[in-house]
Structure formats: C-alpha cells, structure tokens
C-alpha cells in the first residue's frame, strides 16, 4: 500500500497535477449509460461510435462506406452527424433516431462553429490579438447560442494547436505562438461554449482539437508529419490542450498527423496514456475527417479492419466518416481482436456526453427557440464590431492615421468590398449578405461623395490578377483624393485547412498596384487582410501606415471605419511573429538562446545562430501593436525579490498614457529562468493585462505569478519549477526592456 501511495505521488509530480475527481453529474451520466449499454446489441454499440454526413441521403465519406443513411439511422447504426446546416433536417433525423430505432438513442449533431455561427467574429488568430479573454469567451457564447438554436449540439472548437509556421494556413484557427496565452484562450472558449450547464438550451459541447501537435506539421504543409522531442511538446504544445481539458471540454478530436511515428488516431500513448490517464480527460474522442481509414495510407494499417482495430485500441471513441467501425467492429470482437469490454467503455463515454447535453431527457431541446430571437441580435452585432476593432493591429503609422475629418479617400483593392472574404475560413452558418464591408462602412462614416472606390485587382481561389484597366482607374481615383486606403493581402479562401503556401508574400499583382499608387505621391494606408503572418517588408517600406485588419468577420467594415476615423483607438497586439522572410520560419519570440546567440538581433552576422543575409529578428515581434496614443512603462517593482517555491511572485509596473487621446494597451510580463536544468526560452509570457487609460492617466498594474506557473518539463519529464534566479520584463511587446529580477528559494 505504502509503495502504491509513493508511486501515485511520483506520478502526480510527473504529470503536473492529479486528474480531478469525477463530478456528481458525470457519475450520473456514466451510470445512465451503463444501464443502456446492457440493452444494446454489438452492432448498435458500434453505431454509437460512428459519425456520418448526409449528402442527399447517401453517406459519402472519402474511402468510407456508401449506405442508405436513413435506414442506418432507423437501425441505430449512426451515433452522430456532422455538418447539418438546416435545423429542420436535423430535427427530422433526430425524430427518426428517437422514434424509429429500437432503443431510441438520440443523435448528436456536430459542426465547425469556429469563430461564430451566424454572426462571424474575426478569425481566431485575429481575435487572440485582442488579448481580451472576456470578449473571446463571449464570442464563443454567442456562437453557442446561435448553434444550439439551430439544433447543433457540438462544435469542433477550440483549435488549441500552437504553431510557429505561417506557411501553415491553419494558423488562422488558433491563438498564435504562445502556450500561456493559448491556454488562457482555450479555456475561455470552452467556458463560452459549454457555460456552467451543458444541458442548458443555449450551451453546446466543445471539442479540443487537433490532438496533438498538428500545428508543428513539417515545412508548414498541412497534414504533414510531426516529430519533436517530448520535452518540446510538453513545454510548448501541450499547455492549451491541457487547459481546455481542465476547463471541462467534453470532447477531443484526434489530429491527422503522426506523432512519435504513430498517426494520432491510432496512437494509444496520445489518446489514452496522456489524454486520459495523465490529463484526466473523461469525455469522448472523435477522429478527424476519415483519419481512421487514412491510417492505411500512413502505412500502419493493412486495411480498414486493421485501422479500426488500431483506433479502437488507442481508445478513439468515434470514427468521423470513415465507416470502418461499423463495417468491421463486430468482426473484430468476434475474432477476439477487440474486447467487448473496451467497446462498452468507448460507447459509455459517448452516451454520457449525450446524456449531459440533456438529449435523453429531451432530444429536441436544441431546436425549439424562435430563431429571430437568437440570430444576428443587434447587441451581438455591436459586440462583433467591438471585438473586430480590438483584434486589428496597427503595425505602422507615420502620422497618417487617424484620418482627418472631411478627407477624400481613394479606397482601392480586392478586399475593400468583399463580403465573403472578410468572413475568412470556416464561416459557420454565416451569411455573407449580412457582412458590412469596408466600403459600405467608410461611405457611411465619411460620406459617399468622399469615398472613391475601385477594386483594381482580383485575389482568391480562381484568380490573382489586375483587372482590365484596374491600375489606371486606381491611379486616377488616387490622384483625385487626399489619401489612399489600399486593401490588400490574402483572401478568405487562402485561410484555414489545406491552403499551405511556400511563399508568404502578398501576390505580385497587388504589389504592382501598390507600386503604381506609390508613384502618385499620395500617402498610402495599407489595410492588410490575411489569416496568417506574411512577409510584408515591401509593403511596410512603401506604405505610410499599415493596419492589420485580418479577416474580421461580419462587422469588419464598421470596425475599420471606427479605427481609421479615430473613433476607436487601435489596441490589438500580435500573437504570432511576422517574419522578415519565409526563410526565418519558424520564428517565434520564445526561442532558445543557444550557445551562440547573435550580438544584435537586427544585423546579419556570421558565427552566431542567425543569418548572414538577413536580420535575426522578425519584422514585427510577438506582442507588437501601436496606438494613436503613447504608453510609457515605468517603475517596475519586484515586490517579492525572493519567494519560496510554491509561493507567488509579485511585480508591479506603472503605465502612463502620455498622449492626447484615450487608449487601451496590453501590459505583458515576460520571464527568463537564468540557470535551468534544460535550456529554456529567452523569454516566456507569464502574465498580461488589458487596460484602458484616459489621456494623461496612469495606472499601477500588479502581476501575481504563482511559482507553479514557472514550471517546465525537465529531462526526466517531470513538471516542476526550478529554484534560482529569474529575470522579469514588463512592457507592450516581447522586446519589453523594463527589467527586474527575483529568486526562488
Ligand atoms: C478538419 C477539422 C474539422 C473536420 C470536420 C477536418 O477536415 O481538419 O478541423 O473539424 O474536418 O469538418
């Protein structure tokens, strides 16, 4: 017994924190599921583990089975559907499952509600630049309300994948490069979707994805191999997934990539040892789209049956679309390759989530609301406008913004009046007709007569070119105006899944447009549309101001108008570094010193870990973001110069708004562990606070950092903080220079 206790104690040090106790609600759900399982046939059990999509009544997952979906529902052979957009269709299928199948087990409907359902908020990377956790949580809550009313019970969000690679288009779906901020955002989103009561009519199940390390796909190619040390994984990639589990997310999605040589969907170490045993996850795991079947192509399964066996043994509960569970599950049990006990466990976890959603009590509870009282509510639209403005980042400004009243504007470019592009990737059930574009909003703000518009150039899935006469018209209206607002970058189609790019510059036709406009001698403000960091050296050099507008959703236009007019002051700060060149990738602030760091981050140089042809520093670092006012950071005080291990480090700093207008800033605290057991990042974010200051106002911000937050993964994989000296910096970006020191005893 003594030995067992000490093993458990060692385990809890290794894993960081012990798995939380099961709640009463969870126990009740498991009990209910166990009772039901006793009545189920083996086929019905595998039915609960299968997720399908309908396309005119036929299941057509790539490589998956083809069957008559309605009779499959009636036979209890479908546990879930994804991507049903229509509430009546969802309710029709639900009725079929509940009233016509033998046991009447309700279906669970999942959908990619990634940054909004009807109202589309900025893409997730953009929203993370607001550093506003309350706003992010609220955006998820609004998305949940709109989804739930549509009979969607489950979203495949939050995406918790850290990434340092802007070639990978899915960075748009995440929270950037930092595990600390990523963890806070992941937890906020889970809270937003699930609320305090999963069974409430307006909350939905969250899904942590893509487990795990999908953002580290080699060379930024989507779906590519991931290979890294476990140390790196635990330090930089795991924290957001862990935070989302701790926040109570009830589902997880396995990723497409392999990890430690085994595809995630068949990776027992990932899905069982780490996720369940160590992190204490007790919900269910769904595969990514056809990912179980794709293990054949990965080369670790001979056929669908083999793939199903691998996934089941890895404790993957639900097969998205592949069809291998329902096709081969029974045979696998009959042949003794899988135990029915394991199947029961997998089914129990699925049924328990359905129970907790309240679907057994009332399978139709999510489709009852009056949609006009839920969709596009004016207060939610207003909120979407605010969060869009807070997400935008002023990268450069040489005195041209905000615009003067009465100014005549030439509004030019492919995304200035592009209602669909502004919604970005994963548009949920968003209706582009509800988008308010830059053009509409600027015309309203500055007067139609003061905004001359031309598109000049096309950029998207089908074309990347100057329109006929586009440059001439653009130059003409520029000459008739006081200032050019040039909307350029990448389209909505360029964001999200499977849009990896080797070049991360703005396409050549748009650069030609910029050059022509530059020749007019007019001041140029670039409005940068993108879902990922880009190499914008050229644009930054030529433009007088650059406002990163991202793909900011339904209300992107009014948000831009608010910022360029000065009605609102830009306050977004980057959460992913903007490289100088694709050759720097991966470039991130929390990199290591090495034994030979460059003497200067801003000069090319040899015999150091840097380049001889380009500076080491990115073009814009993590945390960067300008304002129309100026904030001064001073009086950094380490209130606890020495702290016991287990104590709390306290640091304060004074922030003053030195300018003439009110503004918001994000005070960021970074630390560095001077002598550690393994090499550590040069800086790590460990605290932040968004604050609003009137012109001339000062505030003292106090940070409290428990020493447990300074823990990291040691070479023996234990998770603990070191004693010793630390540096601490506070400021408005990851180059913050105000510095202090503390010691952990
Ligand atoms: C994506 C997931 C998504 C799923 C369902 C996959 O292709 O990788 O992020 O949730 O499709 O649409």
């Amino acid at each position: 017994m003594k030995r067992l206790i000490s093993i458990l104690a060692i385990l809890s040090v290794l894993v960081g924190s012990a798995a939380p106790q099961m709640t009463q609600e969870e126990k009740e759900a498991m009990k209910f599921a166990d009772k039901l399982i006793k009545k189920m046939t083996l086929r019905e059990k595998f039915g609960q583990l299968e997720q399908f999509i309908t396309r005119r009544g036929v299941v057509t997952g790539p490589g998956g089975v083809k069957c008559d979906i309605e009779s499959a529902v009636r036979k209890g052979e479908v546990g879930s559907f994804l991507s049903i957009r229509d509430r009546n269709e969802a309710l029709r299928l639900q009725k079929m499952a509940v009233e016509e199948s033998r046991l009447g087990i309700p279906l669970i409907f999942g959908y990619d509600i990634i940054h909004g359902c009807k109202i589309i908020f900025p893409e997730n990377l953009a929203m993370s630049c607001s550093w506003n956790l309350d706003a992010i949580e609220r955006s998820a809550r609004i998305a949940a309300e709109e989804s739930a009313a549509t009979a969607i019970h489950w979203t495949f969000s939050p995406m918790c994948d850290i990434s340092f690679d802007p070639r990978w288009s899915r960075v748009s779906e995440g929270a950037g490069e930092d595990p600390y901020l990523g963890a806070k955002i992941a937890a906020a989103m889970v809270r937003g979707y699930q609320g305090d009561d999963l069974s409430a009519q307006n909350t939905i199940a969250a899904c942590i994805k893509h487990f795990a390390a999908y953002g580290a796909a080699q060379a930024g190619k989507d779906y590519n191999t991931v290979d890294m040390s476990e140390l790196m994984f635990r330090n930089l990639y795991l924290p957001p997934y862990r935070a989302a589990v701790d926040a109570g997310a009830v589902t997880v999605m396995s990723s497409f990539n392999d990890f430690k040589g085994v595809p995630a969907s068949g990776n027992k170490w990932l899905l069982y040892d780490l996720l369940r045993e160590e992190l204490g996850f007790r919900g269910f795991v769904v595969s990514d789209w056809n990912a179980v079947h794709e293990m054949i192509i990965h080369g670790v399964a001979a056929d669908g049956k083999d793939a199903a066996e691998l996934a089941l043994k890895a404790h993957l509960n639900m097969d998205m679309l592949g069809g291998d569970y329902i096709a081969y599950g029974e045979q696998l049990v009959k042949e003794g390759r899988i135990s029915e006990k394991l199947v029961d466990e997998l089914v129990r976890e699925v049924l328990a989530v359905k129970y907790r959603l309240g679907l057994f009590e009332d399978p139709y509870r999510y489709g009852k609301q009056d949609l006009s009282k839920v969709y596009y509510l004016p207060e939610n639209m207003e909120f979407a406008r605010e969060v869009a403005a807070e997400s935008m980042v002023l990268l450069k400004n040489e005195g041209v913004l905000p615009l003067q009243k009465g100014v005549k504007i030439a509004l030019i470019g492919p995304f200035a009046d592009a209602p669909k592009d502004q919604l970005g990737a994963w548009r949920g059930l968003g209706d582009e007709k509800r988008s308010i574009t830059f053009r509409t909003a600027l015309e309203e703000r500055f007067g139609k007569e003061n905004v001359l518009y031309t598109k000049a150039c096309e950029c998207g899935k089908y074309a990347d070119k100057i329109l006929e006469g586009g440059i001439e018209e653009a130059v003409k209206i520029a000459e008739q105006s006081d200032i050019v607002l040039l909307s350029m970058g990448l389209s909505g189609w360029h964001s999200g899944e499977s849009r990896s790019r080797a070049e991360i510059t703005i396409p050549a036709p748009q650069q030609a447009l910029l050059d022509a406009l530059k020749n007019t001698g007019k001041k140029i403000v670039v409005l940068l549309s993108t879902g990922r960091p880009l190499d914008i050296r050229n644009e930054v050099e030529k433009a007088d101001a650059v406002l990163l507008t991202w793909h900011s959703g339904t209300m992107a236009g009014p948000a831009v108008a608010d910022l360029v007019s000065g009605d609102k002051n830009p306050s977004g700060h980057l959460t992913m570094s903007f490289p100088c060149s694709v050759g720097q990738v991966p470039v991130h602030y929390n990199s290591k010193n090495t034994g030979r760091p460059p003497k200067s981050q801003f000069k090319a140089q040899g015999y150091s870990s840097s380049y001889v042809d380009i500076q080491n520093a990115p073009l814009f670092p993590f945390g960067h973001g300008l304002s129309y006012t100026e904030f001064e950071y001073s009086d950094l005080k380490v209130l606890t110069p020495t702290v016991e291990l287990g104590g709390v480090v306290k640091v304060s700093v004074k922030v003053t708004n030195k300018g003439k207008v009110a503004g918001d800033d994000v005070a960021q605290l970074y630390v560095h562990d001077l002598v550690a057991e393994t090499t550590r990042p040069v800086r790590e974010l460990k605290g932040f606070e968004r604050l609003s200051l009137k012109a001339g106002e000062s505030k003292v911000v106090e940070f409290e950092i428990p020493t447990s937050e300074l823990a990291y993964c040691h070479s023996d994989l234990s998770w603990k903080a070191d004693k010793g000296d630390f540096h601490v910096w506070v400021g408005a970006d990851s180059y913050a220079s105000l510095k202090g020191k503390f010691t952990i005893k």
Side-chain angles (χ1 to χ4, degrees), residues 377-442:
L377 297 186
E379 63 271 27
N380 292 347
M381 291 284 267
E382 193 48 37
F383 166 71
R385 168 190 188 151
E386 272 164 37
V387 73
E390 286 186 4
S391 303
M392 293 178 184
V393 184
L394 185 62
L395 296 175
K396 171 181 178 178
N397 186 19
E398 294 203 329
V400 279
L401 287 177
L403 301 178
Q404 305 291 326
K405 285 219 164 60
V407 73
K408 195 153 196 131
I409 299 167
L411 177 66
I412 301 168
F415 312 115
D417 198 19
K420 188 167 174 189
D421 283 313
Q422 74 186 47
L423 300 182
W426 297 119
R427 293 180 296 275
L429 304 179
D431 177 358
E432 66 189 76
K433 288 194 213 83
R434 301 298 295 251
S435 291
I436 305 180
T437 68
F438 299 0
R439 182 186 182 188
T440 308
L442 289 168

Side-chain angles (χ1 to χ4, degrees), residues 292-606:
V292 171
H293 197 73
E294 283 172 14
M295 286 199 283
I296 304 171
I297 314 170
H298 271 283
V300 296
D303 50 29
K305 193 167 164 187
D306 227 15
E309 180 181 355
L310 264 181
L312 289 162
K313 283 188 171 156
H315 213 100
L316 184 140
N317 305 74
M318 190 180 276
D319 173 21
M320 182 188 280
L321 281 181
D324 289 332
Y325 276 18
I326 192 77
Y328 306 111
E330 285 166 293
Q331 283 176 39
L332 286 167
V333 175
K334 283 181 190 141
E335 289 166 14
R337 285 165 71 176
I338 295 288
S339 73
E340 189 154 358
K341 187 167 165 280
L342 170 62
V343 180
D344 288 354
E345 272 175 40
L346 298 171
V347 173
R348 186 220 268 165
E349 283 147 3
V350 171
L351 294 177
V353 170
K354 291 187 176 183
Y355 180 88
R356 292 180 62 193
L357 280 164
L359 289 171
F360 282 100
E361 193 186 82
D362 177 3
Y364 312 109
R365 71 193 310 144
Y366 293 94
K368 285 182 175 158
Q369 296 94 319
D370 173 355
L371 293 179
S372 69
K373 298 213 167 82
V374 185
Y375 285 176
Y376 294 113
L377 297 186
E379 63 271 27
N380 292 347
M381 291 284 267
E382 193 48 37
F383 166 71
R385 168 190 188 151
E386 272 164 37
V387 73
E390 286 186 4
S391 303
M392 293 178 184
V393 184
L394 185 62
L395 296 175
K396 171 181 178 178
N397 186 19
E398 294 203 329
V400 279
L401 287 177
L403 301 178
Q404 305 291 326
K405 285 219 164 60
V407 73
K408 195 153 196 131
I409 299 167
L411 177 66
I412 301 168
F415 312 115
D417 198 19
K420 188 167 174 189
D421 283 313
Q422 74 186 47
L423 300 182
W426 297 119
R427 293 180 296 275
L429 304 179
D431 177 358
E432 66 189 76
K433 288 194 213 83
R434 301 298 295 251
S435 291
I436 305 180
T437 68
F438 299 0
R439 182 186 182 188
T440 308
L442 289 168
E443 283 177 355
E444 195 189 302
R445 186 68 50 97
F446 290 90
K448 218 169 173 164
E449 65 291 356
N450 290 323
V451 181
L452 305 178
Y453 163 76
T454 189
K455 184 172 180 184
C457 172
E458 192 102 63
C459 172
K461 181 175 178 184
Y462 301 106
D464 211 344
K465 59 168 199 243
I466 305 277
L467 297 169
E468 211 184 314
I471 296 232
E472 293 74 6
E473 178 63 16
V475 166
K476 191 174 116 199
I477 66 168
E479 278 165 351
Q480 292 164 3
S481 308
D482 304 313
I483 193 153
V484 174
L485 298 193
L486 175 58
S487 161
M488 64 192 311
L490 292 178
S491 72
W493 178 83
H494 287 101
S495 260
E497 190 176 348
S498 91
R499 307 283 189 261
S500 294
R501 287 175 77 83
E503 299 296 346
I504 50 167
T505 44
I506 294 180
Q510 295 180 60
Q511 301 214 17
L513 178 63
L514 171 61
D515 286 341
L517 291 167
K518 179 83 187 156
N519 284 338
T520 64
K522 296 286 171 172
K523 298 276 185 203
I524 298 176
V525 177
V526 165
L527 303 175
L528 182 63
S529 287
T530 176
R532 67 174 101 203
L534 292 170
D535 165 5
I536 47 166
R537 266 174 299 171
N538 179 41
E539 294 73 15
V540 169
E541 198 186 304
K542 290 173 184 161
D544 300 283
V546 180
L547 178 65
L548 173 56
T549 57
W550 302 110
H551 301 128
S552 282
T554 311
M555 295 298 274
V560 165
D562 288 341
L563 293 179
V564 298
S565 66
D567 282 359
K568 283 201 177 118
N569 198 342
S571 60
H573 287 257
L574 295 179
T575 57
M576 196 168 172
S577 310
F578 265 53
C580 271
S581 150
V582 71
Q584 287 185 320
V585 170
V587 57
H588 48 106
Y589 87 95
N590 44 4
S591 58
K592 305 231 181 131
N593 221 13
T594 79
R596 291 193 174 191
K599 288 206 180 62
S600 157
Q601 293 290 333
F602 296 95
K603 263 198 220 133
Q605 59 215 276

Side-chain angles (χ1 to χ4, degrees), residues 3 44 50 187 344 406 639 657:
R3 197 152 156 247
E44 283 166 340
E50 208 51 89
D344 288 354
L639 306 170
N657 180 347

Side-chain angles (χ1 to χ4, degrees), residues 82 112 156 170 209-210 214 253 256 288-289 320 426 497:
L82 83 153
D112 291 283
F156 304 127
R170 300 199 80 168
K209 74 184 189 188
H210 305 82
Y214 183 42
M253 184 183 290
F256 283 123
D288 204 339
W289 182 290
M320 182 188 280
W426 297 119
E497 190 176 348

